[in-house]
Amino acid sequence: MVQQQRRGGVIAMSAGELTSFLGEQRTCRFATAGPGGPHVAPVWFVWDGQALWVYSLTRSQRWANLARDPRAAVVVDDGHHYHELRGVEIEGEAAVVGPVPRTGDDPQPPELAEPERLMAAKYFGPASLAASGGGASLAASGGAPEMIHDGRHAWLRVTPLKIVSWDFRKLAALPDR
Protein backbone atom coordinates (compact mmCIF):
# COMPACT_ATOMS: atom_id res chain seq x y z
CA MET A 1 0.00 0.00 0.00
CA VAL A 2 1.35 3.40 -1.00
CA GLN A 3 1.59 5.90 1.85
CA GLN A 4 -0.49 8.99 1.12
CA GLN A 5 1.07 12.44 0.94
CA ARG A 6 0.49 14.24 4.25
CA ARG A 7 1.56 17.78 3.42
CA GLY A 8 1.39 19.99 0.39
CA GLY A 9 -1.83 18.45 -0.90
CA VAL A 10 -2.72 21.73 -2.56
CA ILE A 11 0.27 21.48 -4.88
CA ALA A 12 0.36 17.68 -5.18
CA MET A 13 -0.08 16.18 -8.63
CA SER A 14 -3.16 14.15 -9.44
CA ALA A 15 -2.61 10.55 -10.58
CA GLY A 16 -3.00 11.66 -14.21
CA GLU A 17 -0.60 14.58 -13.77
CA LEU A 18 1.94 12.31 -12.10
CA THR A 19 1.76 9.73 -14.91
CA SER A 20 2.04 12.44 -17.56
CA PHE A 21 4.99 14.12 -15.79
CA LEU A 22 6.89 10.84 -15.37
CA GLY A 23 6.24 10.02 -19.01
CA GLU A 24 7.73 13.35 -20.15
CA GLN A 25 10.86 13.35 -18.00
CA ARG A 26 13.88 11.37 -19.17
CA THR A 27 16.23 11.13 -16.19
CA CYS A 28 15.71 10.35 -12.54
CA ARG A 29 18.11 10.34 -9.63
CA PHE A 30 18.18 6.88 -8.11
CA ALA A 31 19.39 6.58 -4.50
CA THR A 32 20.48 3.43 -2.70
CA ALA A 33 22.08 2.74 0.67
CA GLY A 34 25.70 1.65 0.35
CA PRO A 35 28.08 0.35 2.97
CA GLY A 36 29.68 3.78 3.30
CA GLY A 37 26.52 5.85 2.97
CA PRO A 38 24.10 6.93 0.27
CA HIS A 39 24.79 6.47 -3.43
CA VAL A 40 22.87 8.54 -5.99
CA ALA A 41 23.12 8.20 -9.77
CA PRO A 42 21.18 9.54 -12.74
CA VAL A 43 19.40 6.85 -14.77
CA TRP A 44 16.74 6.49 -17.44
CA PHE A 45 13.40 5.11 -16.27
CA VAL A 46 9.82 4.36 -17.21
CA TRP A 47 6.62 4.47 -15.15
CA ASP A 48 3.84 1.99 -15.86
CA GLY A 49 1.30 3.57 -13.53
CA GLN A 50 2.13 1.18 -10.68
CA ALA A 51 5.93 0.95 -10.50
CA LEU A 52 9.07 2.66 -11.71
CA TRP A 53 11.31 0.54 -13.94
CA VAL A 54 15.05 0.98 -14.51
CA TYR A 55 17.19 -0.94 -16.99
CA SER A 56 20.34 -0.98 -14.87
CA LEU A 57 23.93 -2.00 -15.38
CA THR A 58 24.37 -5.18 -13.37
CA ARG A 59 27.98 -4.35 -12.51
CA SER A 60 27.20 -1.04 -10.82
CA GLN A 61 27.29 0.31 -7.30
CA ARG A 62 23.50 0.62 -7.46
CA TRP A 63 23.13 -3.10 -8.22
CA ALA A 64 25.54 -4.13 -5.44
CA ASN A 65 23.76 -1.87 -2.93
CA LEU A 66 20.32 -3.22 -3.82
CA ALA A 67 21.56 -6.81 -3.42
CA ARG A 68 22.30 -5.93 0.24
CA ASP A 69 19.32 -3.65 0.87
CA PRO A 70 16.38 -3.36 -1.55
CA ARG A 71 15.29 0.06 -0.31
CA ALA A 72 15.52 2.81 -2.93
CA ALA A 73 14.49 6.41 -3.38
CA VAL A 74 13.98 8.16 -6.70
CA VAL A 75 13.54 11.84 -7.51
CA VAL A 76 12.34 13.22 -10.83
CA ASP A 77 12.06 16.99 -11.05
CA ASP A 78 11.84 19.86 -13.50
CA GLY A 79 11.80 23.65 -13.54
CA HIS A 80 14.30 26.48 -13.43
CA HIS A 81 12.47 29.14 -11.43
CA TYR A 82 10.68 28.68 -8.11
CA HIS A 83 7.19 29.09 -9.58
CA GLU A 84 7.99 26.40 -12.23
CA LEU A 85 9.29 23.68 -9.91
CA ARG A 86 7.55 20.33 -10.02
CA GLY A 87 8.60 16.82 -9.21
CA VAL A 88 7.99 13.40 -7.77
CA GLU A 89 9.79 11.53 -5.01
CA ILE A 90 9.26 7.78 -4.78
CA GLU A 91 10.43 5.65 -1.87
CA GLY A 92 10.10 1.92 -2.25
CA GLU A 93 11.70 -1.46 -2.67
CA ALA A 94 13.57 -2.55 -5.77
CA ALA A 95 13.31 -6.08 -7.11
CA VAL A 96 15.12 -7.76 -9.97
CA VAL A 97 12.72 -8.87 -12.71
CA GLY A 98 13.73 -11.23 -15.50
CA PRO A 99 17.10 -12.64 -16.52
CA VAL A 100 20.37 -11.16 -15.24
CA PRO A 101 21.82 -9.91 -17.47
CA ARG A 102 19.18 -9.43 -20.17
CA THR A 103 20.73 -10.53 -23.47
CA GLY A 104 17.70 -10.53 -25.73
CA ASP A 105 18.48 -14.14 -26.67
CA ASP A 106 16.33 -15.36 -23.81
CA PRO A 107 12.55 -15.37 -24.17
CA GLN A 108 10.89 -12.19 -22.94
CA PRO A 109 9.25 -12.76 -19.57
CA PRO A 110 5.62 -11.58 -19.75
CA GLU A 111 6.15 -9.09 -16.89
CA LEU A 112 8.79 -7.28 -19.00
CA ALA A 113 6.59 -6.73 -22.06
CA GLU A 114 5.18 -3.39 -20.89
CA PRO A 115 8.37 -1.86 -19.39
CA GLU A 116 10.36 -2.84 -22.50
CA ARG A 117 7.70 -1.35 -24.78
CA LEU A 118 7.65 1.86 -22.73
CA MET A 119 11.46 2.10 -22.60
CA ALA A 120 11.84 1.49 -26.34
CA ALA A 121 9.21 4.11 -27.16
CA LYS A 122 10.59 6.69 -24.74
CA TYR A 123 14.30 6.38 -25.50
CA PHE A 124 14.56 4.63 -28.87
CA GLY A 125 11.38 5.91 -30.56
CA PRO A 126 11.10 8.40 -33.44
CA ALA A 127 11.50 11.57 -31.36
CA SER A 128 14.55 10.25 -29.49
CA LEU A 129 16.22 8.83 -32.57
CA ALA A 130 15.59 11.94 -34.65
CA ALA A 131 17.15 14.11 -31.94
CA SER A 132 20.22 11.86 -31.81
CA GLY A 133 20.46 11.37 -35.59
CA GLY A 134 19.55 7.67 -35.33
CA GLY A 135 16.57 7.61 -37.70
CA ALA A 136 18.11 4.79 -39.76
CA SER A 137 17.95 2.46 -36.74
CA LEU A 138 14.23 3.00 -36.47
CA ALA A 139 13.68 2.45 -40.20
CA ALA A 140 15.71 -0.77 -40.05
CA SER A 141 13.38 -2.13 -37.35
CA GLY A 142 10.29 -1.62 -39.50
CA GLY A 143 9.33 1.66 -37.84
CA ALA A 144 8.65 0.25 -34.36
CA PRO A 145 11.17 1.11 -31.64
CA GLU A 146 12.96 -1.91 -30.23
CA MET A 147 14.54 -2.47 -26.85
CA ILE A 148 18.32 -2.76 -27.01
CA HIS A 149 19.87 -5.63 -25.04
CA ASP A 150 23.63 -5.64 -24.59
CA GLY A 151 24.13 -8.38 -22.00
CA ARG A 152 25.23 -5.83 -19.38
CA HIS A 153 21.85 -4.59 -18.12
CA ALA A 154 18.88 -6.11 -16.30
CA TRP A 155 15.54 -4.82 -15.04
CA LEU A 156 14.79 -3.35 -11.63
CA ARG A 157 11.21 -2.65 -10.58
CA VAL A 158 10.75 -0.11 -7.78
CA THR A 159 7.42 -0.69 -6.09
CA PRO A 160 6.42 2.53 -4.33
CA LEU A 161 5.75 2.54 -0.61
CA LYS A 162 5.51 6.34 -0.54
CA ILE A 163 4.98 8.91 -3.30
CA VAL A 164 5.26 12.66 -2.78
CA SER A 165 4.69 15.13 -5.61
CA TRP A 166 4.69 18.87 -6.04
CA ASP A 167 3.80 21.34 -8.76
CA PHE A 168 4.59 24.91 -7.74
CA ARG A 169 2.82 26.17 -10.86
CA LYS A 170 -0.40 25.56 -8.88
CA LEU A 171 0.59 28.20 -6.32
CA ALA A 172 -0.45 30.99 -8.72
CA ALA A 173 -4.07 29.77 -8.58
CA LEU A 174 -4.24 29.85 -4.76
CA PRO A 175 -5.88 32.77 -2.97
CA ASP A 176 -3.50 35.04 -1.06
CA ARG A 177 -3.02 33.90 2.49
Side-chain angles (χ1 to χ4, degrees), residues 14 18 32 35 51 54 75 82 84-85 92 94 107 110 114-115 117 119 138 141 144 155 166 171 173 175-176:
S14 68
L18 187 135
T32 57
V54 173
V75 172
Y82 182 81
E84 300 171 338
L85 298 177
E114 185 64 2
R117 184 192 69 74
M119 182 71 75
L138 187 61
S141 70
W155 284 99
W166 59 94
L171 291 173
D176 291 334

Side-chain angles (χ1 to χ4, degrees), residues 100-111:
V100 178
R102 180 92 165 96
T103 64
D105 295 332
D106 40 25
Q108 182 187 57
E111 63 266 27

Side-chain angles (χ1 to χ4, degrees), residues 63-171:
W63 199 270
N65 290 348
L66 291 170
R68 284 188 297 272
D69 183 347
R71 293 176 302 161
V74 175
V75 172
V76 181
D77 62 336
D78 190 37
H80 295 285
H81 301 287
Y82 182 81
H83 64 278
E84 300 171 338
L85 298 177
R86 57 194 179 130
V88 175
E89 177 184 345
I90 297 172
E91 294 178 17
E93 291 198 0
V96 175
V97 180
V100 178
R102 180 92 165 96
T103 64
D105 295 332
D106 40 25
Q108 182 187 57
E111 63 266 27
L112 292 181
E114 185 64 2
E116 289 197 350
R117 184 192 69 74
L118 291 169
M119 182 71 75
K122 187 173 186 177
Y123 298 101
F124 310 117
S128 293
L129 290 174
S132 66
S137 301
L138 187 61
S141 70
E146 294 180 0
M147 190 65 204
I148 298 171
H149 302 290
D150 61 6
R152 301 176 353 186
H153 291 78
W155 284 99
L156 296 170
R157 177 184 57 223
V158 178
T159 302
L161 299 173
K162 179 181 178 183
I163 298 176
V164 175
S165 67
W166 59 94
D167 185 346
F168 284 15
R169 299 173 308 171
K170 293 180 177 184
L171 291 173

